[in-house]
Amino acid sequence: MASLLYRLGRFSFRQRWLITLAWLAVLAATLVGAATLAKPTSDAFSIPGTPAQKAIDVLHDRFPQAGAGGATARIVFAAPAGHTLAEPGSKAAVEHAVAALKTAPQVASVTDPFQTRAVNQAGTVGYAQATYTVQAPELTDAARDALTSAVDGARAAGLTVETGGDAVQHQPGGSASEVIGLVVAAIVLVVTFGSLVAAGLPLLTGIIGIGIGVGAISVATHFADLSGNTSTLAMMLGLAVAIDYALFIVSRYRHELAVGRDPQEAVGRAVGTAGSAVVFAGLTVVIALAGLAVVGIPFLTQMGLAAAGTVAISVLIALTLLPALLAFAGRRITAGHIPGLKEHDPEGDSAKPTLGVRWVRAIVRRPVVALLAAVIGLGIVAIPAVHLRLGMPSDGTAAPDSTQRKAYDLLAGGFGAGFNAPLMVVVDTPAGSVKAAADQLAGRIRGMDNVAVVTPAVPNPAGNTAILTVIPTAGPDAAATEDLVHAIRRLDSTVGSTYVGVTGTTAINLDISTKLADALPPYLALVIGLAFVLLTLVFRSLLVPLKATLGFLLSVAATFGAVVAVFQWGWLSDLLGVDHTGPIISFLPIFLIGIVFGLAMDYQVFLVTRMREEHVHGSAPKQAVVNGFSHGARVVTAAALIMMSVFFGFMLGDEAIIKSIGFGLGIAVFFDAIVVRMIIVPAVMALVGRAAWWLPRWLDRALPDVDVEGEKLLQQLDHTDAEPVAVAEPALR
């Protein structure tokens, strides 16, 4: 692979104009496609085969008038201070809004708060529920405009009116997150290289990569319903890895120039060596993210494939567009020197011991102390992970200034938290009247814990299916509400052969969280197995993959612990701008496992392969650790700082989901790159010595030779002229 990438790098160098224009054309095409084909995204989640979906299917067959599975909108009305909704002017405004909604396009039904007694005891807050005939992504602009018009009319009459539910178009809000992440990344790159040109190329390729990736995702919304957070996640991950991958190659290119190579040969060697590590790292991230498809959850599969596609684009850009841009820069890669900063060859040797050298020497002198300190520290941070609770987003996790969040808070204040977690109970009898069974079940539900209200049964015209609405006393993400859903479902078949099911947004989200929690252990096992196999291929060792896998598990556990402490328990919430605590978003642990796995393999390869090279060249075990660490530590540290800045930058946004994902990814990079790779790895390598590279002979013969760092390529180039390798290059034309 290294030889192929070497030729690809030289080809891209010579054909710089062709490669650059081709990528710019791709960027333009995706942006035009996004502008013309993009459709609204959906924040609705569903999983076929879950208990909540089964109840929806029953209603579709027996009670289509109920609009089960269709979009819903909850319109919350609040009277001005010192007034009530019962006053003539306020009541007329509410009734006018309800009447307008009943004639709106795609509306199946609308409840009147005065008829359904959906006004609180003080008479200050009430709500109407609109149910649509189609799901949220299928709502037309006319339907959305009618909802907005009805709300605006009531507001004009002096009422406070807010709306919630999946029918309310809710796009993740823009923020300065990406810009701040880019600024911090730029600062790290300038300090690392000491020049504006060298720092600017990774930023440029990163921006082009996410432009293509996010543009392609926007085009995909024309053909499939995607979550509103899909593009944000792809942008977050794509920007971080694109800058990091370019950093590795630019760093090696600077090193090759520093030792006397001409620019074309330097590009070839940089792509053949660092580019091989980029391919390996990118492949592991893509496999881990694409592997989310095996979980069997449609929206998670879409998000994983979208993020994986963006990472793949970043790899291709690093291997082709970046060499072309380096050809334009040539030896001017050091141009734009910043006064006061020294121009660095991040991978070069220095007569004076660098901070990295002094650091690793201190660890090698006392490896047991360093290892115990790091492991105990991560173990303590991981303790809260045993209390991890998973849940799905609700209006209560929306941005504080959004209408969804305001509607949620008005309802909670006027009626209680449970009014934001209504449960739709479906009662279905195979024969006979459903009324008697529904009344009996309603009485049993009223006697359960955590039940505030049970509405009278609403039967279908055939009289064999009915709907009960159950209002819990606790909110949608409370453990008590989850227990209530399970308790109601246990009533199934307890009244003759009557089917009892629970659905609605709260129950659907609960089922999604349960399935995601069940999928977590097998997915983790898949990733661990893949990590061990890949690292065994790369390092031709058993102890190194074992150590890397255990380090990966330790960093994941610490990450889960930190996320629980901040977003579930509320530690440091004021400092970090977290205004709502509760269960962790259900798909976050699986995403963290996949992404941290890829990043861990990236840093592991870049650090440990240099140690292996030193060992193969005859260095003593501890000296091999010091020498290898000194060559890779600066670049790995810079890469980690860039990733952390990009990920943590997304915490500045308003969305609670994006905040938790940004924090989780950022702290995961810190634990894995800084603690595990910079402390645990050199400490363990120093302790095990030559045994780190032991591999049974039969396994050594059976494994294919994967030259990730291009060692054989460099040996060939160092012992022969570059021309024999270049003969094969025209095949790429």
Side-chain angles (χ1 to χ4, degrees):
M1 180 174 66
S3 297
L4 175 64
L5 293 176
Y6 170 81
R7 296 195 297 271
L8 178 61
R10 290 172 63 91
F11 172 80
S12 299
F13 186 98
R14 294 195 311 274
Q15 303 295 332
R16 65 199 75 169
W17 282 106
L18 174 64
I19 297 294
T20 303
L21 292 175
W23 276 111
L24 291 178
V26 172
L27 175 62
T30 53
L31 294 180
V32 171
T36 56
L37 298 176
K39 287 187 175 181
T41 56
S42 170
D43 290 327
F45 299 102
S46 65
I47 304 180
T50 57
Q53 187 62 45
K54 180 181 177 181
I56 290 175
D57 294 339
V58 170
L59 289 177
H60 277 313
D61 293 337
R62 301 291 193 97
F63 205 165
Q65 300 91 335
T72 60
R74 181 173 284 187
I75 304 92
V76 183
F77 305 92
H83 297 272
T84 68
L85 293 177
E87 295 175 8
S90 298
K91 185 176 182 179
V94 172
E95 291 175 340
H96 180 76
V98 170
L101 281 174
K102 287 181 178 179
T103 61
Q106 298 179 302
V107 170
S109 63
V110 182
T111 63
D112 187 319
F114 299 106
Q115 295 178 4
T116 59
R117 299 180 181 178
V119 179
N120 70 343
Q121 195 169 15
T124 56
V125 179
Y127 66 90
Q129 183 92 0
T131 303
Y132 290 82
T133 58
V134 296
Q135 294 183 344
E138 300 168 358
L139 287 174
T140 63
D141 290 339
R144 297 184 190 278
D145 291 342
L147 175 61
T148 302
S149 177
V151 169
D152 290 343
R155 284 174 177 166
L159 300 179
T160 298
V161 188
E162 305 294 346
T163 54
D166 58 352
V168 182
Q169 185 63 16
H170 176 50
Q171 298 286 3
S175 70
S177 306
E178 301 89 341
V179 175
I180 292 177
L182 282 173
V183 170
V184 177
I187 294 172
V188 174
L189 287 168
V190 169
V191 173
T192 301
F193 291 117
S195 77
L196 291 177
V197 174
L201 290 182
L203 291 174
L204 178 60
T205 56
I207 292 172
I208 293 175
I210 62 171
I212 294 174
V214 175
I217 293 171
S218 298
V219 172
T221 59
H222 185 82
F223 306 97
D225 296 330
L226 299 182
S227 165
N229 293 312
T230 300
S231 60
T232 305
L233 291 173
M235 180 187 302
M236 184 188 303
L237 184 58
L239 181 61
V241 300
I243 295 175
D244 270 15
Y245 294 163
L247 168 65
F248 292 151
I249 294 177
V250 172
S251 175
R252 183 55 66 93
Y253 174 72
R254 287 280 300 271
H255 177 67
E256 296 296 336
L257 286 181
V259 297
R261 314 287 182 198
D262 68 82
Q264 182 171 334
E265 180 65 12
V267 165
R269 288 178 179 245
V271 177
T273 53
S276 297
V278 165
V279 170
F280 174 82
L283 182 62
T284 55
V285 177
V286 168
I287 291 174
L289 290 173
L292 293 171
V294 304
V295 177
I297 300 175
F299 78 86
L300 193 61
T301 299
Q302 293 171 350
M303 297 171 80
L305 292 177
T310 305
V311 172
I313 291 171
S314 299
V315 172
L316 292 174
I317 286 178
L319 299 177
T320 55
L321 177 60
L322 180 59
L325 297 178
L326 289 173
F328 287 114
R331 295 188 181 277
R332 295 188 299 276
I333 191 70
T334 59
H337 173 64
I338 305 298
L341 284 181
K342 182 180 178 181
E343 292 186 20
H344 295 290
D345 172 10
E347 298 183 39
D349 296 314
S350 174
K352 181 180 179 181
T354 62
L355 176 61
V357 172
R358 296 194 297 272
W359 173 269
V360 73
R361 284 177 179 173
I363 292 176
V364 168
R365 280 196 300 268
R366 294 180 177 83
V368 175
V369 174
L371 179 61
L372 289 177
V375 171
I376 292 173
L378 290 178
I380 292 174
V381 176
I383 290 175
V386 300
H387 301 284
L388 175 68
R389 287 185 58 233
L390 300 179
M392 292 300 293
S394 66
D395 286 346
T397 61
D401 60 347
S402 65
T403 186
Q404 295 92 333
R405 177 63 177 276
K406 292 177 181 178
Y408 182 97
D409 293 340
L410 281 174
L411 273 181
F415 294 92
F419 275 76
N420 286 301
L423 305 176
M424 181 183 289
V425 179
V426 181
V427 182
D428 182 71
T429 55
S433 173
V434 75
K435 188 176 187 308
D439 289 343
Q440 183 178 348
L441 288 166
R444 295 173 66 175
I445 293 172
R446 288 188 184 97
M448 293 179 176
D449 294 334
N450 190 38
V451 174
V453 177
V454 179
T455 64
V458 179
N460 66 342
N464 54 12
T465 304
I467 297 174
L468 301 170
T469 299
V470 177
I471 305 297
T473 57
D477 55 6
T481 302
E482 179 179 342
D483 294 338
L484 177 61
V485 171
H486 292 312
I488 296 174
R489 284 175 174 168
R490 285 195 291 270
L491 296 176
D492 185 25
S493 301
T494 60
V495 179
S497 57
T498 300
Y499 163 76
V500 179
V502 184
T503 188
T505 302
T506 301
I508 291 172
N509 289 347
L510 172 62
D511 289 346
I512 293 175
S513 299
T514 301
K515 185 160 186 175
L516 283 167
D518 293 341
L520 189 58
Y523 181 72
L524 181 59
L526 171 68
V527 169
I528 291 173
L530 178 63
F532 194 87
V533 171
L534 289 176
L535 290 176
T536 301
L537 286 173
V538 172
F539 296 116
R540 311 194 74 79
S541 161
L542 293 179
L543 286 179
V544 170
L546 179 61
K547 175 262 302 174
T549 304
L550 292 176
F552 160 68
L553 287 174
L554 193 57
S555 62
V556 166
T559 299
F560 287 175
V563 170
V564 168
V566 173
F567 290 90
Q568 190 172 308
W569 292 355
W571 292 6
L572 302 178
S573 57
D574 293 337
L575 178 64
L576 298 176
V578 178
D579 53 25
H580 182 86
T581 59
I584 306 305
I585 182 71
S586 298
F587 56 79
L588 179 59
I590 285 185
F591 257 108
L592 282 176
I593 288 172
I595 296 170
V596 173
F597 163 68
L599 302 181
M601 297 308 101
D602 188 356
Y603 301 139
Q604 177 76 11
V605 168
F606 209 82
L607 271 181
V608 182
T609 47
R610 301 304 291 261
M611 298 179 187
R612 183 173 182 272
E613 288 179 23
E614 294 293 331
H615 169 74
V616 171
H617 293 155
S619 297
K622 290 188 177 181
Q623 191 59 44
V625 172
V626 172
N627 292 345
F629 188 93
S630 65
H631 282 99
R634 184 181 182 86
V635 176
V636 169
T637 302
L641 290 175
I642 288 170
M643 282 210 174
M644 285 188 287
S645 66
V646 172
F647 292 148
F648 283 138
F650 279 84
M651 290 193 67
L652 299 174
D654 294 328
E655 297 298 320
I657 297 176
I658 300 304
K659 281 178 179 285
S660 64
I661 294 173
F663 175 81
L665 292 176
I667 203 69
V669 172
F670 173 79
F671 289 145
D672 195 85
I674 306 301
V675 181
V676 173
R677 306 305 153 188
M678 295 294 171
I679 299 177
I680 295 179
V681 167
V684 172
M685 296 296 289
L687 284 172
V688 299
R690 297 184 186 277
W693 310 111
W694 176 80
L695 187 70
R697 290 184 179 180
W698 64 268
L699 185 57
D700 187 44
R701 290 192 298 268
L703 292 177
D705 190 3
V706 182
D707 186 21
V708 173
E709 276 295 326
E711 183 181 350
K712 291 187 176 180
L713 169 67
L714 295 179
Q715 289 177 355
Q716 178 185 359
L717 295 177
D718 289 341
H719 288 84
T720 62
D721 293 329
E723 291 305 317
V725 179
V727 172
E729 292 173 18
L732 292 172
R733 294 180 183 273

